[in-house]
Amino acid sequence: MPGAICFSADGRRMFFADARASRIMACDYDAEAGGVGAPEVFAQLEAGRGPRGAALDLDGCLWSAQAGQLLRYAPDGKVVQRIAHDCTSIAFGGAGLTQLAAVGAGGLFTVPVPGVAGQADSPFDDLRPQ
């Protein structure tokens, strides 16, 4: 059950959640060929903490919305920040992409993350050139 798909700033690395296995996966991605490399475990989650939405910041850290919390993973997959907040989807927005927006049962919220800025989305096209 893949979900929470996001890409590195250069578009060459794809991250996605495997909700059934409670883990976040990563693989190489070739946009021109429309191909992916062999997936590897980026982060194993606590049991019952199904991964939901995800976004990357300018430091290359992956933010993951999980049941009851937001986690920030360093590029090596280690948790470096944890915020108690239950949401299903996240994205960086606002001036300079310095606001982390989170959608949950109560609506849309801004989650304070001082000193952190998101990266612009990488274009994605899964159709191979003709």
Side-chain angles (χ1 to χ4, degrees):
M1 290 180 51
I5 299 169
C6 58
F7 296 87
S8 61
D10 63 6
R12 295 182 183 172
R13 193 96 170 125
M14 181 173 74
F15 298 88
F16 62 95
D18 181 342
R20 286 196 179 161
S22 294
R23 60 186 173 198
I24 300 170
M25 307 296 291
C27 61
D28 291 334
Y29 178 71
D30 182 344
E32 290 186 28
V36 296
E40 57 190 38
V41 176
F42 174 73
Q44 184 66 50
L45 284 57
E46 299 170 17
R49 295 279 186 186
R52 297 172 180 172
L56 287 159
D57 65 28
L58 284 180
D59 294 327
C61 295
L62 183 135
W63 288 81
S64 175
Q66 299 174 18
Q69 62 185 354
L70 285 170
L71 279 84
R72 184 184 190 205
Y73 292 90
D76 65 2
K78 292 190 172 46
V79 175
V80 294
Q81 189 171 357
R82 187 181 309 258
I83 299 170
H85 190 83
D86 194 27
C87 60
T88 56
S89 186
I90 56 174
F92 285 95
L97 299 175
T98 57
Q99 296 177 353
L100 181 59
V103 175
L108 176 64
F109 302 91
T110 300
V111 180
V113 288
V116 175
Q119 70 176 25
D121 283 336
S122 297
F124 174 75
D125 184 356
D126 65 344
L127 298 175
R128 292 192 172 139
Q130 299 290 327

